[in-house]
DNA sequence: TATTGTTATACTCTATAACTATA
DNA sequence: TATAGTTATAGAGTATAACAATA
């Protein structure tokens, strides 16, 4: 049986090439984390990013988001509170819950991280032709869109 | 003084958008590591990747590549050897050195990781229009090229 | 009795310091 | 004496199990 091959080459070949080409971007992305002050561990940084996204949350919700279990999350919070980056207060509604929030310094650290990451990309993008920058941005946006669609269809079937 | 503004918008704006759009790709990249069997820690996986790149190397060279110190690298190797993923033999040329190499299982694990990563990207790329796939690939390749050039010019000035 | 969170304990990862073996 | 590597010890991250407080 002969079937027309629609794309100029198989998607699998493109995927291999994209994986290969994406490595530099992933490295640049990760390197920004080492530039923030004060230095926090990757695990602690994840806590700050999750709490920032939620605004405020309790410990079990944090553990869920981290894919961890409550005792691990609790210890991480211990150290972040000691470092002054996070606040942990008894909930006003339910006295067995705690409310986690970023401190002013915690928000500052994330702002520093975002700036550091943006500058790292800017240094490299400034060396590229404008059309290539546009290609990259559009490609990444479409990739994100396709991934979101994939997630949605998977969620529907579950 | 009036200067022509070459790009249609400032590079800093594009950088912010690229950082935003790159997040999904970074997440997909990282998620493949959780799919390999047997499960190894991120630190152990880095060891395997570095040793694979070098083919064979001694402990100090490994520690350098990891940005770690020899005792940390040595412990990591302890566990990888115990897991059967790495071999550590006395060097034949210099009896105070050790020679680190991937075992057959170690190479297998990295092959599994590469396959898992490629399939994760393939699933998403297959949902994209061919032209968007090409945009992404070209953009990533040019980004990698610009980063390499940046590294070269920095090295020259150092 | 179920839920929320912490403490107790153990293993991994990382570092500093001290040590052994080789050159 | 300098180099390559390991062992000793300690703090951080993670897990399981046991516990206290609240609902």
């Amino acid at each position: 049986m002969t079937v027309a091959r629609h794309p100029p080459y198989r998607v699998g070949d493109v995927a291999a090439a994209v994986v290969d080409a994406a490595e530099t971007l992933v490295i640049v992305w990760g390197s920004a984390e080492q530039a923030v002050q004060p230095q926090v561990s990757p695990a602690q940084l994840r806590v700050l990013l999750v709490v920032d996204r939620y605004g405020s949350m309790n410990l079990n919700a944090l553990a869920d988001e981290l894919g961890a279990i409550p005792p691990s999350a609790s210890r991480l919070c211990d150290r972040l509170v000691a470092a002054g980056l996070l606040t942990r207060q008894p909930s006003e509604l339910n006295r067995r819950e705690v409310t986690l929030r970023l401190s002013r310094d915690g928000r500052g650290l994330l702002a520093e991280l975002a700036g550091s990451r943006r500058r790292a990309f800017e240094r490299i993008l400034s060396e590229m032709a404008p059309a290539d920058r546009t290609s990259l941005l559009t490609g990444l946006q479409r990739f994100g869109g396709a991934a979101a669609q994939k997630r949605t269809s998977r969620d529907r079937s579950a």
Side-chain angles (χ1 to χ4, degrees), chain A:
Chain A
M1 176 172 97
T2 302
V3 176
R5 284 186 276 173
H6 284 137
Y9 31 60
R10 288 174 299 146
V11 174
D13 294 339
V14 184
V18 166
V19 165
D20 212 47
E23 188 174 7
T24 299
L25 184 142
V26 172
I27 290 172
V28 172
W29 178 278
S31 64
E33 299 185 2
Q34 301 167 340
V36 299
Q37 291 297 335
Q39 275 275 8
V40 295
S41 72
Q44 291 176 353
L45 186 54
R46 281 189 66 207
V47 172
L48 298 179
L49 289 166
V50 168
V51 174
D52 181 55
R53 181 149 50 85
Y54 276 72
S56 77
M57 64 196 313
N58 70 14
L59 191 86
N60 276 332
L62 172 62
D64 269 0
E65 277 295 314
L66 295 176
I69 59 180
S72 301
S74 187
R75 290 303 167 95
L76 283 170
C77 290
D78 288 348
R79 285 152 198 150
L80 286 168
V81 169
L85 300 171
L86 190 73
T87 65
R88 172 165 49 184
Q89 295 175 322
S91 162
E92 296 176 354
L93 300 173
N94 184 333
R95 280 194 299 170
R96 62 186 175 185
E97 286 186 18
V98 296
T99 299
L100 303 168
R101 282 196 183 83
L102 293 189
S103 70
R104 183 184 184 79
D105 285 353
R107 287 190 298 273
L109 186 146
L110 291 191
E112 229 194 293
L113 172 66
S116 165
R117 183 162 279 155
R118 191 188 50 67
R119 287 190 299 274
F121 274 84
E122 192 177 331
R123 275 193 295 273
I124 296 170
L125 291 167
S126 68
E127 299 294 317
M128 293 168 65
D132 291 334
R133 287 199 289 264
T134 302
S135 265
L136 176 62
L137 178 56
T138 303
L140 286 171
Q141 287 170 338
R142 297 294 165 80
F143 183 86
Q149 190 185 341
K150 208 72 184 163
R151 271 195 301 277
T152 305
S153 63
R154 186 201 60 201
D155 292 349
R156 253 201 305 276
S157 68

